Amino acid sequence: MYRYSDFDAAFVAERNRQFRQQVERRIDGSLTEDEFKPLRLMNGLYLQLHAYMLRVAVPYGTLSAPQMRQLAYLAEKWDKGYGHFTTRQNIQYNWPELRDIPDMLDALGEVQMHAIQTSGNTIRNVTADHFAGAAADEIADPRPVAELIRQWSTDHPEFQSMPRKFKIAVTGSAHDRAVIRAHDIGLRIVERGGARGFEVLVGGGLGRTPMIGKVITDFLPGADLLPYLEAIVSVWNLIGRRDNKYKARIKITVHEHGIDEIRRLVDARFAELRPAFSGVDQQMLADIEAQFAPPALRDASVAPYQTAYDSDPVFRSWADTNLTAHRDPQHVIVEISLKAHGATPGDASAEQMRVMADLAERFGHNELRVSHEQNIVLPHVHKADLPQIHAILRQHGLATANIGLISDIIACPGMDYCALATARSIPIAQEIATRFDDLKLEHEIGDLKIKISGCINACGHHHVGHIGILGLDRAGVENYQITLGGDHTETAALGARTGPGFPAEEIVGAVETIVNTYLDIRLGRDETFIETFRRTGMDPFKAALYPAKEERQADAA
């Protein structure tokens, strides 16, 4: 893991000192809320529906055990005993008092954490594949590159007041677990002729105008990364729309100008910038890479795992869903579900955070990851330790065997917390998870991604859900639109609307209808929901959801 330099520590401490003074001035009335707003946003502080919310950066989703323990401490001392892990691989605290925020930031600084650029019109937290450094299908660990980008972008003088926020994601695998095609810039590490570089996508994003990113170059030499990124962002910063915040994202700029024109402008700007990069960035990258050396994995018998797998059906169910192949065959990647049936997706109590920190320290080389799907990952676990880990997780409500299944739902905070939301997300996610747990169907259903957003800003990634749900306000009544066929992976696609939305009391039944239709028409258990949808299209699902309409059309014919 990356460790702060003396400069990093001093930088964060000074930012915290400045913000402490700004908070004091807001409390004593020297600053109005309008004057305070840009200052608090620079430090990750939002004003939500009921209270302030502090969003803490977890760069590329990587945490140490001491950092996770400190997050638990913040939750207990200054919040309501829990934190909410987000699709940006961050953690949010929903109930802090304004006067306590400076102390929270100082406590974060003690463990090399901060909340800088988790909000505002800047380059946000750089995210990465949550299996980075461990995945069996990985070309290279993308986290050193993500850390280089983080250092380059933090407090970059040209990029502190851009048209809108800007998001970058990096993966080192052909299989995309970082949703790079739905980012302003998506980077995939690739190899060509023995050289390592990047496929660069630009102009992806969700929200009210969802778009899939376009390839601006299929191979960028590694040494050119930072000047090329700077060229992209500076071109957009110059020509991006500032007259309308809904048209300010780079996806709109790419759409309006076309990818070929954007490529021409970026190439021209890159030619101007490249000579200024003397190679210092590559020296920095080499230093960063040294801090991401893989852990020393032990060689031991996997017999305890095999015995538990063969004899314990509960353990076997968990192993089948929550474990992923590691680059070392004696090890696995463990995903800890924060989606217990009926729970709030992404929430973890302070006690649960401490349990996960302990597991990382005892069994996981002191390392945890936050996934964009709002779960926690132990990336390097020996198979022999899995029975002990599973037993501890069960004691603390963390052993739900549902990773990738219908109850492993992404959901934004929705109208329970967010001032922008137009409908609730959390209760809908809870009801869906509970319904299918009661039906005991989710393992029969198999891989199925449900994603729920409480407004058109799409924080729940509903556009790229196999089943996407968007909550809207219709004349004061919550109404839920459904999309089908979305995909966040390397075969990324935006879901298509099924038709009219459903009131809150009918949406869970509508999801059940969709699932039952899939079970009826799939070619077998090996055909996943998304494969069935791509084979059949929307028609059978629409006919099941809106039978009266289909009957009227048949009668008219």
Side-chain angles (χ1 to χ4, degrees):
M1 288 179 59
Y2 178 76
R3 294 172 180 81
Y4 277 12
S5 66
D6 291 342
F7 173 85
D8 296 330
F11 175 84
V12 171
E14 176 60 19
R15 280 289 291 265
N16 291 352
R17 185 193 67 79
Q18 292 173 6
F19 191 54
R20 182 178 292 275
Q21 293 179 339
Q22 292 159 0
V23 168
E24 290 170 356
R25 292 168 63 202
R26 175 69 189 107
I27 291 173
D28 70 20
S30 301
L31 290 174
T32 66
E33 176 55 36
D34 286 344
E35 292 169 331
F36 182 57
K37 181 178 179 179
L39 302 175
R40 63 172 169 79
L41 289 177
M42 290 172 63
N43 293 279
L45 185 62
Y46 286 76
L47 185 57
Q48 293 282 73
L49 191 61
H50 307 294
Y52 283 102
M53 179 269 282
L54 180 66
R55 179 180 292 152
V56 176
V58 183
Y60 34 88
T62 295
L63 286 168
S64 67
Q67 287 173 332
M68 181 67 96
R69 287 198 189 93
Q70 194 75 333
L71 296 180
Y73 171 70
L74 265 68
E76 276 188 343
K77 184 170 179 61
W78 291 297
D79 207 279
K80 293 189 176 183
Y82 71 96
H84 177 72
F85 290 96
T86 77
T87 57
R88 196 99 216 116
Q89 298 181 305
N90 291 322
I91 184 171
Q92 294 179 180
Y93 296 98
N94 291 312
W95 302 101
E97 297 287 343
L98 178 58
R99 65 177 181 271
D100 294 328
I101 300 299
D103 290 339
M104 296 176 76
L105 294 177
D106 283 345
L108 289 169
E110 292 172 5
V111 292
Q112 304 191 354
M113 297 186 74
H114 61 77
I116 298 167
Q117 291 187 198
T118 58
S119 57
N121 293 334
T122 61
I123 296 176
R124 298 288 184 89
N125 187 43
V126 180
T127 57
D129 181 355
H130 44 274
F131 294 167
D137 62 348
E138 187 175 75
I139 293 173
D141 187 341
R143 292 175 303 155
V145 170
E147 173 59 29
L148 181 70
I149 297 170
R150 185 193 70 82
Q151 293 191 25
W152 159 77
S153 63
T154 300
D155 229 25
H156 192 298
E158 187 181 344
F159 304 144
Q160 294 305 299
S161 185
M162 299 192 293
R164 283 289 275 125
K165 58 189 175 182
F166 200 91
K167 299 179 180 180
I168 301 174
V170 193
T171 183
S173 301
H175 179 48
D176 180 13
R177 290 176 288 265
V179 206
I180 64 171
R181 286 158 178 79
H183 278 74
D184 298 292
I185 292 177
L187 300 171
R188 182 169 69 91
I189 298 173
V190 294
E191 290 181 334
R192 179 180 293 178
R196 189 167 291 169
F198 299 92
E199 178 188 53
V200 183
L201 297 101
V202 66
L206 302 178
R208 68 172 59 220
T209 312
M211 294 184 181
I212 299 298
K214 297 177 173 60
V215 176
I216 191 169
T217 178
D218 60 1
F219 187 82
L220 178 74
D224 290 342
L225 178 62
L226 284 193
Y228 197 77
L229 293 182
E230 186 148 332
I232 292 173
V233 182
S234 62
V235 164
W236 168 68
N237 199 26
L238 181 64
I239 69 172
R241 298 279 296 271
R242 294 178 185 268
D243 61 319
N244 184 333
K245 73 175 184 178
Y246 302 117
K247 297 182 179 180
R249 296 292 292 270
I250 195 173
K251 62 188 178 184
I252 303 299
T253 307
V254 173
H255 176 72
E256 290 183 340
H257 292 264
I259 187 64
D260 292 336
E261 175 63 7
I262 295 297
R263 185 182 295 112
R264 185 189 70 79
L265 293 171
V266 168
D267 287 347
R269 181 62 177 149
F270 173 74
E272 296 172 350
L273 290 170
R274 185 64 183 90
F277 285 77
S278 62
V280 173
D281 56 320
Q282 295 304 298
Q283 296 172 20
M284 292 175 62
L285 179 59
D287 292 340
I288 292 168
E289 287 175 334
Q291 298 191 53
F292 285 88
L297 303 177
R298 81 178 195 268
D299 181 9
S301 171
V302 300
Y305 162 77
Q306 198 60 52
T307 298
Y309 188 88
D310 293 340
S311 62
D312 182 351
V314 175
F315 176 82
R316 181 165 59 251
S317 176
W318 175 79
D320 286 344
T321 55
N322 293 36
L323 305 183
T324 299
H326 192 279
R327 55 184 169 80
D328 177 78
Q330 288 186 13
H331 288 72
V332 293
I333 300 166
V334 177
E335 289 189 78
I336 301 171
S337 173
L338 300 185
K339 315 286 181 59
H341 300 110
T344 299
D347 277 9
S349 69
E351 178 192 18
Q352 289 175 325
M353 288 187 231
R354 290 195 181 96
V355 168
M356 292 186 286
D358 291 345
L359 290 174
E361 208 162 57
R362 290 178 60 189
F363 304 111
H365 300 273
N366 200 38
E367 193 173 330
L368 304 108
R369 309 282 175 77
V370 183
S371 79
H372 83 270
E373 294 182 305
Q374 300 176 290
N375 295 311
I376 303 297
V377 177
L378 296 171
H380 309 287
V381 174
H382 197 282
K383 289 181 177 179
D385 297 325
L386 290 170
Q388 292 182 73
I389 291 171
H390 180 249
I392 294 168
L393 291 173
R394 287 188 71 184
Q395 292 172 12
H396 298 278
L398 291 168
T400 308
N402 66 342
I403 295 295
L405 303 183
I406 196 168
S407 62
D408 183 15
I409 299 169
I410 288 178
C412 74
M415 210 161 60
D416 290 300
Y417 296 97
C418 182
L420 300 176
T422 51
R424 295 167 298 163
S425 297
I426 293 170
I428 303 303
Q430 292 169 324
E431 291 173 28
I432 292 171
T434 302
R435 172 74 64 88
F436 284 94
D437 184 45
D438 290 343
L439 294 172
K440 303 304 177 190
L441 272 177
E442 59 183 335
H443 288 270
E444 173 68 23
I445 296 164
D447 182 57
L448 201 165
K449 303 286 189 181
I450 294 182
K451 305 179 194 294
I452 306 174
S453 299
C455 78
I456 57 175
N457 290 305
C459 295
H461 294 190
H462 68 276
H463 294 295
V464 291
H466 297 160
I467 299 175
I469 300 174
L470 168 62
L472 296 170
D473 182 305
R474 291 283 187 255
V477 177
E478 292 171 86
N479 184 271
Y480 294 86
Q481 292 180 357
I482 297 177
T483 55
L484 299 180
D487 180 9
H488 71 266
T489 70
E490 63 280 2
T491 53
L494 301 174
R497 280 184 58 186
T498 59
F502 296 85
E505 62 271 17
E506 295 179 13
I507 185 62
V508 178
V511 172
E512 187 174 347
T513 296
I514 291 167
V515 171
N516 286 335
T517 301
Y518 155 65
L519 293 175
D520 288 343
I521 65 176
R522 69 182 180 181
L523 297 180
R525 293 192 63 171
D526 290 338
E527 186 176 60
T528 65
F529 177 89
I530 191 64
E531 290 169 342
T532 297
F533 180 83
R534 287 171 176 167
R535 175 175 58 82
T536 67
M538 180 70 79
D539 287 349
F541 298 97
K542 185 174 287 190
L545 281 172
Y546 310 104
K549 179 179 179 181
E550 297 298 322
E551 289 167 7
R552 286 196 302 270
Q553 290 177 342
D555 291 342

